[in-house]
Amino acid sequence: MTPGETTAETTFRAAIPLRYRVILGTLGFAAVAGSAVAALDGGGPAALVTAAFIAVIFVPVLLMTAKVSLSGQGIGIRVAGFFSTEVPYREITAVTAGPVTGLREGMGLRILPDGTGYLVGGPSVRIETGKTAVLVSCSHPERLIAAVSPHLSAPRPNTGPAERGQGGGLHR
């Protein structure tokens, strides 16, 4: 085992905030109820199948979670049970608290202007990896940041000749 490597895995989870579950649940219930009423009012089996389909779609959305797992080598991220990625500690340049996200930003795997989001709404953590970033929902961003920080490499001092502008190259 290398220094800083751990054998236990630390996991952080985030669920869709209650206020969003209420909104989405109400919409889903209304859609299922409307389709069921249409089926009972002579809409036939197609309306009943539509009601079942809507229920099958809304239940997993209401139960969606984001999971962040810290291992000895990096951070594993999973949202909605099947969208996932891994970010090795050696690639991480910074970990900071991200914005509070909601229905406007969307949920699940999101393509963002400067990276990728694994979102369910609520507080988030931004994991910088050079020119790109990963934004992940996390109920307790400060705890995740504190848990990741010891795994990150300490910045190297800029003391070599190249860093001081004395690389010996051609100067014009």
Side-chain angles (χ1 to χ4, degrees):
M1 216 179 326
T2 61
E5 187 175 352
T6 60
T7 55
E9 187 176 274
T10 304
T11 303
F12 297 85
R13 294 183 191 275
I16 295 176
L18 180 60
R19 65 184 176 272
Y20 301 139
R21 272 192 260 158
V22 169
I23 292 167
L24 292 170
T26 301
L27 291 172
F29 179 77
V32 169
S35 295
V37 167
L40 294 174
D41 195 32
L48 198 54
V49 168
T50 301
F53 178 74
I54 293 170
V56 166
I57 297 297
F58 268 90
V59 169
V61 168
L62 293 174
L63 300 175
M64 187 184 308
T65 61
K67 177 182 170 186
V68 180
S69 302
L70 306 184
S71 69
Q73 300 301 312
I75 301 173
I77 301 169
R78 180 178 296 272
V79 70
F82 53 88
F83 296 117
S84 65
T85 191
E86 293 186 22
V87 183
Y89 294 126
R90 70 181 181 283
E91 293 179 11
I92 299 173
T93 57
V95 178
T96 58
V100 174
T101 64
L103 294 176
R104 180 181 306 162
E105 292 81 13
M107 295 176 190
L109 178 65
R110 312 304 297 172
I111 304 304
L112 306 171
D114 59 347
T116 306
Y118 295 84
L119 306 174
V120 296
S124 67
V125 171
R126 183 176 176 84
I127 303 167
E128 302 279 341
T129 58
K131 292 182 180 184
T132 189
V134 175
L135 189 65
V136 62
S137 293
C138 181
S139 297
H140 302 284
E142 67 287 346
R143 292 183 191 168
L144 177 55
I145 293 167
V148 171
S149 294
H151 296 281
L152 303 182
S153 300
R156 286 172 261 154
N158 296 332
T159 57
E163 288 82 9
R164 290 192 308 257
Q166 302 170 0
L170 295 175
H171 298 284
R172 296 180 191 225

